[in-house]
């Protein structure tokens, strides 16, 4: 902090100094290059010591800028421009143009003007400080926070001299062959790699050391990524003088300024520079994929290679090449469509259209071809939805992390982050509502009855249940029916007629036992029953002691039946049709089994049951269960399930569904089991499969969906 900045905290707030006493002057270091684009002949201008971005001007705008030398007045510039370009302009037009360029910090400043600019900046900083002191927020932006940076020109020159062979045709062909090899390696275990990629980016399931390791690998690949941008920019004649680290919504990242490629490079050179970052990570991923494939499992180099695959592979391509966010994919898409500010143009057209045709407010819509308008509308809607979903993702991620520590108070840090992220948008919304009120004030007074009817109708529409609530939770599959076969009588196993995985029918013999005592008892009971039956016949013929013989025969018949049932129990039969799940059944042959010993387990997999573990805080969304859609971890295809039952008591989460808690002080939530039936006639679903189920509950209105969480939060805190 210099002396001027140190005095800022003690001096009274001064009035703003006048920045410019003379006429504007273009920078003597200004660099300009001609480019022929969609709009025609354009000039790209870069000021080395000026703003970090470049400027795009038409040929006539550039010729007008060249006339600003700090000495000519606006009238003189207007006359000279009219004489040279044959385009009539006046002094007022030139002055307005100069003032607009002043707002963009374009004009050159001498030492005195730089001091005045610094003075005004410090005065503005002091004004923000005083606002904080008196309870007014400054509204710090969390979108981009630069941490540190340096001039990487020497570093990029050195590494370009070492690695310039990567821009040769031979290396490119070799790299493409390696990409095919990588796709073959990862494709062979795609289900596993994809599932692990999702888990790798799930920060809520990581401990502190895991998060440090994650961001360490992420930062290392980020340095490689940004170095590739800068090196490619230098390869095509540009330079980079700013590289460093930043926070994007509190998430760390690395950046490298390659603005000069828009000055020195053509369209395809710019695309190559932008794509170089992702390409560098793909090339690294090809090599570590081969390393991962050939190294034995469990070794440290195998594990590190796999983490680099997860960190720099699938998700890097998906996230970076997405054209809906201002990342590499967006700028490549802009080059391909030849729209340098696609998001800004789309958003401006969409917002002005809404203002003009929906809210009937004054707005200017540029005349564009209808195809381009449709393209801008579609892109503006998709990009806006994606941006807000990503912002909500950061808020939800914060909530889920703090929920592990303090479920009751996790909404506080998540709410503060949401306030910081959406503060500028809320301010814009309030400004729009204020402008809308001022614009419609007179009309509201005139048509207040119609407006009241419309408000009531809107309230009724918002109360109609149209939105179906849902929860996404983990599940594990089990057979709809199970049966355990046990030895009802002790005996030696003579034979086994089924193996693991074989299908048996109801009543089929699975194993045969031998018990000499049981068999002898049955034979003796049969012989004695035969003797008693003969004695009964003789007694009946002789009319002597017939009743006693009949009672003895009846008693021995029961003993014979009981002995025969025990002999029948030596045959272990299946009570249902199903598949044997007990391994190594043949190992039982020759062994002696005590009464009650488990022989085999059967499972009827023609119908499966999903046990879905629902945490307590999500139960309110499932007051009336409608249906569920299941996605296996190893399968993209969704599976539909029907509701069976809901456990009235809590259960522990099944092992393997989520990793063990690594946070100190983490309290696992209470889970309730929801059982859903799934048909499985083709046998594709197997016991123990896991995945994520989306369970749909009752329908709610838009109003209930919006206001219920806030009402519950307030009532919970009051209680």
């Amino acid at each position: 902090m210099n002396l001027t900045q140190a005095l800022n905290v003690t001096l009274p707030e001064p009035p703003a100094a006048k920045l410019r006493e003379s006429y504007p002057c273009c920078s003597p270091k200004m660099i300009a290059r001609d480019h022929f684009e969609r709009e025609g002949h354009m000039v790209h201008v870069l000021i080395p010591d000026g703003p970090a971005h470049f400027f795009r001007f038409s040929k006539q705008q550039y010729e007008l800028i060249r006339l600003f030398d700090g000495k000519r007045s606006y009238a003189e510039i207007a006359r000279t421009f009219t004489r040279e370009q044959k385009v009539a302009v006046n002094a007022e037009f030139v002055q307005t143009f100069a003032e607009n360029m002043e707002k963009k910090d374009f004009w050159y400043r001498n030492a005195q003007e730089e001091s005045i600019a610094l003075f005004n900046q410090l005065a503005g900083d002091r004004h923000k400080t005083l606002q904080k002191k008196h309870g007014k927020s400054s509204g710090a932006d969390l979108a981009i926070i630069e941490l540190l940076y340096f001039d990487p020109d020497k570093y990029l020159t050195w590494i370009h001299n070492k690695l310039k062979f990567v821009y040769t045709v031979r290396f490119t062909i070799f790299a493409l062959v390696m990409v095919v090899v990588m796709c073959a390696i990862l494709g062979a275990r795609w289900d596993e790699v994809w599932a692990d990629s999702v888990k790798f980016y799930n920060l809520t399931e990581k401990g502190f050391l895991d998060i440090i390791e994650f961001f360490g690998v992420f930062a290392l690949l980020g340095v490689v990524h940004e170095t590739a941008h800068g090196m490619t920019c230098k390869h095509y004649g540009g330079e980079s003088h700013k590289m460093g680290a930043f926070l994007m919504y509190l998430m760390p990242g690395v950046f490298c300024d390659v603005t000069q490629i828009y000055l020195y490079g053509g369209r395809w050179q710019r695309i190559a520079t932008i794509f170089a970052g992702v390409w560098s990570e793909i090339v690294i991923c090809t090599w570590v994929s081969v390393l991962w494939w050939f190294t034995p499992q469990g070794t440290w180099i195998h594990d590190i290679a796999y983490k680099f695959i997860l960190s720099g592979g699938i998700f890097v391509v998906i996230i970076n090449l997405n054209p809906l966010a201002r990342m590499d994919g967006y700028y490549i898409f802009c080059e391909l469509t030849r729209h340098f500010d696609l998001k800004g143009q789309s958003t401006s057209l969409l917002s002005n259209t809404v203002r003009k045709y929906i809210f009937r407010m004054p707005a200017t819509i540029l005349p564009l071809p209808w195809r381009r308008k449709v393209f801008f509308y579609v892109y503006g809607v998709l990009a806006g939805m994606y941006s807000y979903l990503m912002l909500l993702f950061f808020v939800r991620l914060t909530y889920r992390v703090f929920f592990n520590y303090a479920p009751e108070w996790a909404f506080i840090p998540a709410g503060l982050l949401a306030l910081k992220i959406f503060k500028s948008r809320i301010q814009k919304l309030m400004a729009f509502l204020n402008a809308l009120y001022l614009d419609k004030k007179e009309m509201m007074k005139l048509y207040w009855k119609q407006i009241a009817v419309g408000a009531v109708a809107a309230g009724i529409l918002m109360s109609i249940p149209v939105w179906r609530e849902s929860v996404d939770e983990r599940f594990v599959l089990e057979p709809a029916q199970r049966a355990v076969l046990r030895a009802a009588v002790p005996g030696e196993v003579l034979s086994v007629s089924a193996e693991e995985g074989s299908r048996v029918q109801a009543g089929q013999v699975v194993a045969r036992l031998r018990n000499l005592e049981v068999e002898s008892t049955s034979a003796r009971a049969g012989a004695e029953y035969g003797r008693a039956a003969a004695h009964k016949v003789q007694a009946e013929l002789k009319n002597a002691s017939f009743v006693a013989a009949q009672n003895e025969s009846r008693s021995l018949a029961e003993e014979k039946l009981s002995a025969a049932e025990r002999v029948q129990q030596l045959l272990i039969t299946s009570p249902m049709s199903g598949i044997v799940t007990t391994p190594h059944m043949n190992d039982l042959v020759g062994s002696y089994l005590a009464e009650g010993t488990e022989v085999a387990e059967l499972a009827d997999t023609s119908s499966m049951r999903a046990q879905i573990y629902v945490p307590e805080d999500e139960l309110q969304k499932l007051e009336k269960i409608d249906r569920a859609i299941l996605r296996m971890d190893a399968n993209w295809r969704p599976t539909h399930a029907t509701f069976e039952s809901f456990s009235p008591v809590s259960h522990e989460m099944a092992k393997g569904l989520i990793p063990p808690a690594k946070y100190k002080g983490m309290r696992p939530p209470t889970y309730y089991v929801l059982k859903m039936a799934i048909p499985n006639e083709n046998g594709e679903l197997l016991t123990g499969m896991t995945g994520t189920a989306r369970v749909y509950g009752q329908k709610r209105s838009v109003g209930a969906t919006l206001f219920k969480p806030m009402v519950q939060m307030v009532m919970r805190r009051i209680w």
Side-chain angles (χ1 to χ4, degrees):
M1 184 168 67
N2 58 32
L3 179 60
T4 308
Q5 291 171 323
L7 293 176
N8 180 45
V9 298
T10 57
L11 294 177
E13 184 175 6
K18 187 177 181 181
L19 180 61
R20 191 178 299 279
E21 297 291 346
S22 59
Y23 294 108
C25 176
C26 58
S27 173
K29 299 180 181 180
M30 181 178 65
I31 306 173
R33 293 291 186 275
D34 294 330
H35 290 266
F36 293 91
E37 300 166 1
R38 177 191 296 272
E39 298 87 346
H41 188 180
M42 303 295 292
V43 180
H44 291 190
V45 175
L46 181 68
I47 302 176
D49 298 332
H53 56 273
F54 76 101
F55 297 87
R56 295 175 69 247
F57 300 108
S58 65
K59 185 63 176 177
Q60 291 182 343
Q61 288 174 331
Y62 176 68
E63 295 298 334
L64 177 60
I65 288 173
R66 291 180 57 189
L67 299 177
F68 286 88
D69 57 0
K71 299 178 181 179
R72 292 190 179 101
S73 65
Y74 299 126
E76 292 173 343
I77 294 175
R79 288 193 297 270
T80 305
F81 182 81
T82 301
R83 183 177 65 255
E84 294 180 353
Q85 302 299 321
K86 309 302 181 183
V87 177
V89 296
N90 54 28
E92 294 181 358
F93 174 85
V94 175
Q95 183 176 0
T96 302
F97 178 81
E99 291 174 351
N100 291 333
M101 298 305 297
E102 178 70 37
K103 296 177 182 178
K104 299 179 181 180
D105 199 23
F106 179 81
W107 301 119
Y108 172 72
R109 294 171 180 167
N110 55 34
Q112 180 182 3
E113 290 170 342
E114 287 288 350
S115 299
I116 295 175
L118 177 62
F119 180 82
N120 290 338
Q121 178 185 358
L122 294 174
D125 293 341
R126 173 166 171 76
H127 180 66
K128 294 178 181 178
T129 303
L130 291 175
Q131 281 184 326
K132 291 182 180 180
K133 181 177 179 181
H134 293 288
K136 299 179 181 179
S137 173
S138 62
D141 188 10
L142 296 179
I144 297 292
I145 302 176
E146 290 188 5
L147 299 178
L148 54 93
Y149 59 87
F150 66 100
D151 189 341
D153 186 63
K154 294 182 179 179
Y155 160 69
L156 294 176
T157 302
W158 174 80
I159 200 168
H160 178 265
N161 293 334
K162 298 292 183 182
L163 300 179
K164 59 183 178 182
F165 65 87
V166 301
Y167 299 99
T168 61
V169 176
R170 291 183 178 179
F171 181 85
T172 303
I173 295 175
F174 174 74
L176 291 174
V177 172
M178 290 297 296
V179 170
V180 175
V181 173
M182 176 190 68
C183 292
I185 292 175
L186 299 183
R189 299 170 63 177
W190 173 253
D191 294 338
E192 175 185 343
V193 173
W194 173 256
D196 289 343
S197 297
V198 176
K199 294 178 182 177
F200 186 75
Y201 281 87
N202 189 353
L203 299 181
T204 61
E205 298 181 1
K206 294 182 181 294
F208 179 75
L209 294 179
D210 294 325
I211 293 177
I212 295 297
E213 180 187 52
F214 171 82
F215 284 112
V217 175
F218 190 78
L220 181 60
L221 290 175
V223 171
V224 174
H225 182 107
E226 298 301 324
T227 298
H229 284 316
M231 187 173 68
T232 308
C233 177
K234 180 169 285 293
H235 180 75
Y236 290 116
E239 293 182 352
S240 177
H241 295 282
K242 193 173 184 180
M243 183 177 182
F246 68 96
L247 293 178
M248 178 182 291
Y249 296 109
L250 304 181
M251 301 294 287
V254 185
F255 71 92
C256 182
D257 180 21
V258 291
T259 307
Q260 289 197 15
I261 191 61
Y262 287 91
L263 195 68
Y264 296 102
R267 181 187 179 194
W268 294 108
Q269 286 79 13
R270 296 195 293 265
I271 292 177
T273 301
I274 299 169
F275 183 69
V278 175
W279 178 245
S280 65
E281 296 194 48
I282 293 176
V283 171
I284 292 177
C285 191
T286 60
W287 285 97
V288 296
S289 297
V290 175
L291 184 64
W292 170 68
W293 185 265
F294 282 103
T295 52
Q297 296 183 0
T299 59
W300 66 271
I301 191 170
H302 180 87
D303 296 340
I304 291 179
Y306 191 54
K307 290 178 180 178
F308 271 92
I309 292 174
L310 300 180
S311 180
I314 304 169
F315 274 28
V316 167
V317 177
I318 295 176
I319 296 175
N320 276 282
L321 295 186
N322 178 14
L324 299 179
R326 290 184 182 272
M327 300 184 76
D328 295 343
Y330 167 78
Y331 295 107
I332 293 176
F333 190 66
C334 288
E335 292 291 346
L336 294 176
T337 58
R338 297 190 176 185
H339 295 292
F340 280 88
D341 187 19
L342 179 59
K343 191 174 180 64
Q345 294 177 8
S346 306
T347 304
S348 176
L349 178 63
L350 187 62
S351 61
N352 288 339
T353 302
V354 172
R355 290 173 65 97
K356 183 174 183 179
Y357 294 107
I358 295 181
F359 294 100
R360 302 295 180 179
M361 298 175 64
T364 302
I365 299 178
L366 297 177
L368 295 172
W370 69 270
R371 291 183 178 179
R372 192 178 303 179
K373 277 189 176 182
V374 172
F375 172 70
F376 281 170
Y377 286 140
V378 173
Y379 182 86
V381 172
L382 294 178
M385 292 174 58
Y386 178 80
S387 298
Y388 281 100
L389 286 176
M390 288 301 298
L391 295 177
L392 291 174
F393 167 77
F394 285 113
V395 176
R396 181 174 175 80
L397 179 64
T398 303
Y399 175 80
R400 298 295 294 180
V401 171
F402 282 95
F403 183 83
N404 293 324
Y405 294 99
E408 297 85 359
W409 303 103
F411 73 95
I412 294 180
L416 292 176
L417 180 62
L419 181 62
K420 281 292 185 180
I421 290 178
F422 293 101
K423 183 172 184 178
S424 61
R425 293 163 177 82
I426 295 174
Q427 291 175 343
K428 291 180 180 179
L429 176 62
M430 298 306 297
F432 169 76
L433 293 178
N434 184 48
L436 178 64
Y437 170 74
L438 295 177
D439 184 70
K440 308 299 181 185
K441 185 177 180 180
E442 297 299 328
M443 185 190 71
M444 292 174 65
K445 291 181 178 179
L446 185 62
Y447 299 101
W448 67 270
K449 293 183 179 179
Q450 293 85 340
I451 294 174
V453 172
V456 173
I460 295 174
L461 291 176
M462 291 186 66
S463 63
I464 298 176
V466 295
W467 183 271
R468 193 173 296 280
E469 290 191 321
S470 64
V471 296
D472 293 337
E473 303 299 341
R474 301 288 292 169
F475 72 86
V476 61
L477 291 185
E478 63 175 16
Q481 290 185 343
R482 289 179 181 270
V484 178
L485 307 185
R486 300 181 183 274
V489 295
E492 179 185 356
V493 181
L494 286 179
S495 64
V496 174
S497 58
E499 269 295 327
E500 180 185 11
S502 61
R503 177 172 290 277
V504 297
Q505 301 299 324
Q508 180 179 337
V509 176
V510 176
R512 296 176 182 271
L513 303 184
R514 181 179 182 181
N515 189 318
L516 295 178
E517 181 181 355
V518 173
E519 294 172 353
S520 299
T521 302
S522 177
R524 185 170 58 251
E528 291 180 355
Y529 173 74
R531 180 184 55 79
H535 180 69
K536 173 186 174 184
V537 173
Q538 292 177 359
E540 184 177 1
L541 293 175
K542 296 178 180 180
N543 290 325
S545 62
F546 172 76
V547 175
Q550 186 180 22
N551 291 337
E552 180 183 11
S553 176
R554 187 178 299 169
S555 175
L556 291 175
E558 292 178 356
E559 291 182 6
K560 177 187 175 183
L561 180 61
S562 176
E565 289 178 352
R566 288 181 65 81
V567 171
Q568 187 64 29
Q569 289 175 347
L570 294 174
L571 300 177
I572 300 178
T573 59
S574 173
M576 53 175 269
S577 298
I579 296 176
V580 178
T581 60
T582 303
H584 310 297
M585 288 282 292
N586 284 328
D587 293 347
L588 295 175
V589 178
S591 61
Y592 183 84
L593 303 182
E595 183 178 353
T597 304
E598 180 178 332
V599 177
E601 183 175 354
L602 303 180
D604 181 9
T605 57
S606 61
S607 178
M608 303 294 288
R609 179 185 292 113
Q611 290 199 103
I612 306 172
Y613 292 84
V614 182
E616 183 181 0
D617 61 316
E618 298 284 1
L619 285 178
Q620 57 180 332
K621 298 181 181 179
L622 301 179
E623 296 178 4
K624 183 180 179 182
I625 299 174
D626 179 69
R627 66 185 189 279
I629 298 178
L630 281 61
R631 290 187 183 274
M632 311 299 164
D633 289 335
N635 194 347
W636 276 81
R637 188 171 56 192
T639 303
H640 295 269
T642 56
F643 173 70
E644 276 192 350
S645 62
F646 212 137
S647 66
V649 295
S650 61
H651 294 259
E652 292 184 359
M653 173 74 78
K655 294 182 179 180
L657 287 185
I658 58 175
K662 297 180 180 179
Y663 295 97
K664 293 183 179 180
M666 178 186 289
R667 293 182 295 172
T670 301
Y671 291 97
Y672 292 83
V673 177
L674 171 63
K675 296 183 179 181
M676 308 287 286
I678 313 168
N680 188 34
E681 290 82 2
N682 53 13
E684 291 183 355
L685 304 179
L686 302 177
T687 303
M689 279 187 170
T690 59
T692 302
R694 172 164 293 181
V695 184
Y696 293 90
Q698 65 178 354
K699 287 186 176 181
R700 292 191 181 277
S701 63
V702 176
T705 303
L706 294 176
F707 297 110
K708 183 179 179 180
M710 293 184 287
V711 173
Q712 288 181 339
M713 181 181 65
V714 173
M715 295 304 295
R716 186 183 295 115
R717 296 280 75 81
I718 294 175
W719 173 260

